Amino acid sequence: MKSIKYTALLIVMILFWGCKKEEASIVITTDNYHNSMDQIINVMIHDIFSPPVASRIFAYPNVAAYEIIATNNKNFKSLSGQLSGLTPIPNYDKSKGPLNVHLAALVAYIDVSKSLIFSEEPIVKYRDSLYNKWETTNKTEFSNAKEYGLEVADHIKKWLSKDHYKETRSMPKYTIRTNDPSKWQPTPPAYMDGIEPHWSKIRTFVIDSANQFAPPPPPKYSLDKGSLFYKELKEVYDIGNDIVKKGDTCVGIKTARFWDCNPYVSVTHGHMMYAVKKITPGAHWIGITKIACRNANYNFDQTVYAYTKTALAIADGFISCWDEKYRSNLVRPETLINKYIDQNWKPLLQTPPFPEYSSGHSVVSGAAAVVLTDIFGDNFQFDDNTEMQFGLPVRSFNSFNQAADEAAMSRMYGGIHYRAAVENGILQGRNLGAYLVKKLKMKQ
């Protein structure tokens, strides 16, 4: 009888210890991906990346994560052979056991992101906190996913190293043409050099070339009061004066400030100058993508898909826009208004340091809105809280296109763009976005 009891007790103990030693699977949620994106954006704000450079940082890490998802989800299709120069990622060695696909995708996303920023310490700290948690949960599962995620990240880093970014770092600065009043000149208060004059040389992702969606030329420069150019210049001046008179409750002021998205605003107090840091236009639309994913209850794979497709539109949008900016090389309204109309006039927003035509926010907003509409549908209502961290209230929109139209017009309200740059810019972006939607095959 005793032997039966001992045997039963032994069996219970074996079962107990066997269950105790069994490791739980690591669960990766959409919030893990959203939070990782937020961590990278915070570092990008700190490092003050220009809008074009920031768009590159959004594109490559998302592609890394997406490729792992697409390789392991029959509903999605790899981007290899679709994006310029991208080859298939390495295959996972299945003999090592099952792969935690979401964990590998997140590892790849974080690693590629870390390689593209300056201030690595916060990301390393964030990454290690996750690594420690995952390793404690299931060491074998974590080790396999980490090894594969880093292998894919290395593949993507080799691909991105050939996009001509490094070469453009050593190219000549923008040369100011003081003998031609129609050409861009540095603007107050910092009078910074022209940002990224060679960005059109960056390898495109989906579009065939930087000038594929070049807009029509801007109105011909003329200070003749009957010319279209002068009328547009005067319009900027009049709008600026009108909204200032109406005060902070004016819709134009609220709109301009909400869509400012200038990553480096110089503030001068006496002899001291410091920077107020904000997100870029691309980051604002990435924020809208996060809101849309959450509103639509997207799962992990769908979330990575939405981020990736939108990031590619933003990245190609900046290449297309910057190609035109340094071709037309048009002077900003502030320069001409101060010289020929009113020397004391100031735009509501600080003029960013690059040529005027076409409007970057307009191009990128148009491209992103088309892609997001393709993903989530038209008439997709959302409350945009992206700018709350900068003390700005939530704005509500009934569609992505409505938000894009408002973002474009905000540049005129802000006094930093002529009408042609806004209207032709958003059309430029929408044409690019429509091309991307038609050409990219991301779903099976």
Side-chain angles (χ1 to χ4, degrees):
M1 193 70 175
K2 284 185 176 180
S3 63
I4 294 176
K5 289 182 178 180
Y6 287 140
T7 301
L9 180 61
L10 182 61
I11 291 172
V12 170
M13 291 176 66
I14 291 172
L15 291 173
F16 172 78
W17 287 108
C19 292
K20 187 176 181 180
K21 290 182 180 179
E22 185 178 346
E23 295 178 304
S25 182
I26 300 169
V27 178
I28 304 297
T29 67
T30 53
D31 280 343
N32 290 136
Y33 203 81
H34 291 314
N35 292 341
S36 297
M37 185 81 67
D38 289 342
Q39 291 287 332
I40 300 300
I41 290 175
N42 288 338
V43 173
M44 290 165 65
I45 293 171
H46 176 272
D47 288 348
I48 315 179
F49 283 104
S50 69
V53 177
S55 72
R56 182 174 179 264
I57 300 173
F58 288 126
Y60 287 113
N62 278 300
V63 170
Y66 174 82
E67 284 301 283
I68 293 176
I69 296 298
T71 304
N72 293 276
N73 186 331
K74 63 181 180 180
N75 295 319
F76 295 100
K77 187 175 182 180
S78 170
L79 292 170
S80 64
Q82 298 194 72
L83 302 184
S84 302
L86 179 62
T87 56
I89 60 174
N91 293 320
Y92 173 69
D93 184 357
K94 294 182 180 179
S95 66
K96 295 180 179 180
L99 173 67
N100 187 323
V101 176
H102 296 167
L103 176 53
L106 189 54
V107 166
Y109 172 81
I110 294 173
D111 191 69
V112 176
S113 296
K114 183 174 72 69
S115 72
L116 296 172
I117 58 175
F118 300 142
S119 302
E120 294 185 3
E121 184 178 351
I123 298 306
V124 170
K125 185 177 180 180
Y126 169 75
R127 178 202 65 188
D128 289 349
S129 69
L130 294 176
Y131 278 13
N132 291 335
K133 178 182 176 182
W134 294 334
E135 188 170 29
T136 302
T137 303
N138 192 319
K139 187 173 183 178
T140 301
E141 183 180 38
F142 167 63
S143 179
N144 289 341
K146 176 187 174 185
E147 182 180 350
Y148 182 63
L150 294 178
E151 185 179 7
V152 173
D154 286 340
H155 182 85
I156 298 299
K157 284 189 278 188
K158 289 177 182 176
W159 170 51
L160 70 84
S161 70
K162 299 177 182 178
D163 70 352
H164 312 307
Y165 174 78
K166 290 181 181 178
E167 289 79 358
T168 60
R169 299 310 89 190
S170 59
M171 290 181 180
K173 292 183 178 181
Y174 168 79
T175 302
I176 301 172
R177 302 182 189 179
T178 55
N179 62 333
D180 188 342
S182 72
K183 302 306 179 185
W184 180 82
Q185 298 177 33
T187 50
Y191 294 93
M192 294 173 63
D193 290 333
I195 287 177
E196 299 298 338
H198 305 287
W199 199 253
S200 63
K201 298 179 178 65
I202 299 294
R203 180 184 60 200
T204 58
F205 289 89
V206 182
I207 60 177
D208 297 333
S209 63
N211 65 357
Q212 183 178 359
F213 292 97
K220 186 178 179 181
Y221 174 84
S222 172
L223 294 180
D224 185 312
K225 292 185 178 181
S227 69
L228 177 58
F229 182 85
Y230 187 84
K231 289 177 180 178
E232 290 199 357
L233 174 66
K234 188 65 164 48
E235 182 182 27
V236 174
Y237 176 68
D238 291 340
I239 288 175
N241 288 339
D242 182 57
I243 63 177
V244 169
K245 288 178 182 178
K246 291 178 179 177
D248 288 348
T249 59
C250 173
V251 173
I253 289 180
K254 291 180 179 179
T255 301
R257 287 176 176 166
F258 183 79
W259 293 101
D260 184 11
C261 303
N262 186 342
Y264 187 100
V265 175
S266 300
V267 179
T268 304
H269 282 298
H271 298 291
M272 183 177 68
M273 180 177 287
Y274 61 91
V276 175
K277 303 175 184 180
K278 300 179 182 180
I279 57 173
T280 62
H284 193 134
W285 281 97
I286 288 294
I288 290 174
T289 306
K290 177 174 71 172
I291 293 168
C293 286
R294 284 180 166 165
N295 287 0
N297 294 315
Y298 264 24
N299 62 29
F300 190 93
D301 292 10
Q302 292 170 319
T303 296
V304 174
Y305 159 75
Y307 272 129
T308 304
K309 197 168 187 177
T310 306
L312 290 171
I314 292 169
D316 268 354
F318 273 112
I319 294 173
S320 175
C321 180
W322 251 245
D323 173 68
E324 179 57 41
K325 278 188 179 295
Y326 284 95
R327 176 171 44 251
S328 54
N329 199 9
L330 188 60
V331 63
R332 288 278 183 172
E334 183 175 13
T335 302
L336 297 180
I337 291 172
N338 286 165
K339 189 173 183 179
Y340 297 107
I341 301 177
D342 183 350
Q343 64 180 358
N344 297 316
W345 185 88
K346 290 182 179 180
L348 178 64
L349 302 181
Q350 192 169 113
T351 302
F354 36 80
E356 190 273 342
Y357 188 82
S358 52
S359 160
H361 217 325
S362 301
V363 174
V364 169
S365 296
V370 168
V371 168
L372 287 168
T373 299
D374 177 68
I375 297 170
F376 297 100
D378 205 355
N379 301 317
F380 187 96
Q381 193 281 329
F382 64 97
D383 299 323
D384 188 355
N385 62 4
T386 310
E387 299 288 334
M388 283 185 67
Q389 61 180 311
F390 304 110
L392 296 169
V394 174
R395 290 184 73 81
S396 298
F397 300 99
N398 293 319
S399 70
F400 301 111
N401 282 315
Q402 182 192 17
D405 286 337
E406 184 179 282
M409 280 304 299
S410 75
R411 318 323 270 166
M412 285 187 66
Y413 296 144
I416 60 177
H417 276 294
Y418 312 108
R419 181 172 293 277
V422 167
E423 294 181 348
N424 291 341
I426 198 164
L427 181 60
Q428 178 184 355
R430 283 179 170 145
N431 288 340
L432 186 152
Y435 177 82
L436 185 146
V437 165
K438 184 178 180 180
K439 185 174 181 180
L440 271 191
K441 307 299 180 184
M442 297 180 71
K443 287 190 173 182
Q444 297 284 12

